[in-house]
């Protein structure tokens, strides 16, 4: 489990002035808003809405629906530790999304480059690349993939890897009678590791657990009235 500290730091900055606004609360039926303006909408505002068996996160970006237990606040409280700190578990939590779980992951160029070098070193260690050709092979990886290849998208990256070929004897490279000594034929096995959670989903995970912790704190100290809009009280 990782908290993605860079996203945690961004979330803290983005929500530094946010306050809790309880728009509705009736048992497991809750509608909480977190924003820096009393009107309820501001930059990086977000809502947490629960019904039995479901939690909806919505806000300035993509919305997410999670389903797992009757009280989804109880489910996400696993991210609130005894010392009061909050932590996220995006891998496990993404499994509880109601639909399109893979949509919360994006192709990451830095992961792609890291994996390419790992695979290249593996091929050298296994001597698919002759020892005296290792430097030339590394240069080919750099020229044809890392610096010269196209990998702005996952499809481009995969195609670049599939098309890569290396000949231990460079004189055979343009001789149709010979096949390449090295190709990334098993790319399909490791290519999925080039994806990681997109920043907004991670931000939402931090928002959920932070929002629940704030809600619990307000209830613990009996401060619900301060978080309830006047019109809701009048109703």
């Amino acid at each position: 489990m990782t908290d993605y500290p860079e996203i945690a730091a961004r979330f803290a900055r983005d929500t530094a002035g946010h306050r809790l606004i309880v728009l509705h609360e009736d048992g497991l039926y809750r509608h909480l808003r977190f924003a820096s303006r009393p009107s309820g909408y501001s930059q990086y505002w977000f809502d947490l809405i629960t019904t039995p068996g479901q939690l909806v996160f919505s806000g300035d970006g993509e919305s997410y629906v999670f389903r797992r237990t009757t009280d989804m606040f109880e489910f996400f409280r696993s991210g609130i530790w005894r010392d009061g700190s909050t932590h996220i578990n995006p891998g496990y939590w993404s499994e509880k999304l109601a639909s399109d779980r893979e949509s919360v992951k994006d192709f990451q160029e830095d992961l792609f480059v890291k994996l390419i070098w790992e695979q290249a070193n593996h091929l050298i260690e296994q001597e698919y690349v002759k020892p005296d050709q290792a430097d030339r092979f590394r240069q080919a990886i750099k020229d044809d993939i890392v610096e010269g290849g196209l990998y702005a998208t996952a499809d481009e990256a995969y195609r670049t890897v599939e098309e890569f070929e290396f000949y231990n004897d460079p004189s055979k490279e343009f001789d149709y009678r010979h096949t390449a000594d090295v190709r990334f034929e098993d790319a399909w096995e490791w290519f999925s590791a080039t994806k990681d959670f997109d920043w907004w989903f991670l931000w939402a995970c931090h928002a959920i657990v932070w929002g629940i912790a704030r809600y619990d704190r307000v209830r613990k100290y009996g401060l619900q009235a301060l978080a309830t809009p006047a019109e809701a009280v009048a109703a």
Side-chain angles (χ1 to χ4, degrees):
M1 182 174 70
T2 175
D3 289 327
Y4 292 82
E6 69 284 0
I7 301 299
R10 173 172 181 166
F11 174 79
R13 292 193 303 270
D14 292 342
T15 60
H18 279 29
R19 60 183 288 256
L20 164 63
I21 305 167
V22 179
L23 297 175
H24 183 81
E25 184 178 27
D26 181 12
L28 298 180
Y29 295 87
R30 312 178 184 95
H31 186 177
L32 312 181
R33 177 161 296 158
F34 299 85
S36 60
R37 295 177 183 171
S39 63
Y41 291 101
S42 61
Q43 192 172 27
Y44 295 113
W45 68 274
F46 65 92
D47 283 0
L48 300 181
I49 303 169
T50 63
T51 56
Q54 178 172 280
L55 180 145
V56 177
F57 166 90
S58 64
D60 252 355
E62 192 75 27
S63 297
Y64 305 108
V65 179
F66 298 86
R67 292 176 183 152
R68 175 62 175 86
T69 59
T70 302
D71 185 357
M72 289 301 293
F73 271 21
E74 195 61 38
F75 172 77
F76 284 108
R77 284 189 179 108
S78 63
I80 305 172
W81 291 11
R82 289 184 178 181
D83 62 1
S85 60
T86 58
H87 304 266
I88 64 172
N89 191 350
Y92 180 56
W93 294 354
S94 67
E95 295 174 2
K96 311 311 172 189
L97 287 167
S99 63
D100 202 7
R101 296 169 183 173
E102 285 302 309
S103 68
V104 298
K105 287 188 174 183
D106 283 336
F107 171 72
Q108 308 285 335
E109 290 187 11
D110 57 337
L111 289 179
F112 171 69
V113 172
K114 177 176 179 288
L115 282 167
I116 282 295
W117 284 121
E118 287 178 357
Q119 294 300 315
N121 289 331
H122 173 73
L123 291 170
I124 292 171
E125 290 169 1
Q126 297 299 312
E127 296 191 357
Y128 289 97
V129 179
K130 290 183 177 179
D132 63 342
Q133 296 299 312
D135 288 343
R136 192 170 66 84
F137 175 66
R138 292 190 183 95
Q139 189 63 46
I141 293 289
K142 181 179 179 181
D143 293 343
D144 296 346
I145 299 180
V146 176
E147 293 185 357
L150 296 175
Y151 52 89
T153 67
D155 288 342
E156 284 183 351
Y158 193 81
R159 187 162 53 250
T160 296
V161 169
E162 274 198 320
E163 293 174 353
F164 177 83
E165 294 182 339
F166 180 81
Y167 294 77
N168 283 307
D169 182 349
S171 67
K172 297 178 180 179
E173 184 172 351
F174 301 104
D175 188 336
Y176 70 91
R177 294 171 298 178
H178 300 281
T179 58
D181 297 298
V182 179
R183 298 190 66 187
F184 290 102
E185 295 179 346
D186 62 346
W188 61 273
E189 294 182 355
W190 51 265
F191 196 80
S192 62
T194 63
K195 290 187 175 183
D196 201 358
F197 295 104
D198 69 58
W199 77 271
W200 180 247
F201 177 72
L202 296 171
W203 196 99
C205 288
H206 279 290
I208 291 169
V209 71
W210 179 85
I212 294 172
R214 177 67 62 90
Y215 170 77
D216 287 346
R217 200 154 51 244
V218 165
R219 286 171 56 85
K220 178 180 179 180
Y221 293 106
L223 301 175
Q224 293 94 317
L226 297 179
T228 305
E231 57 269 25
V233 174

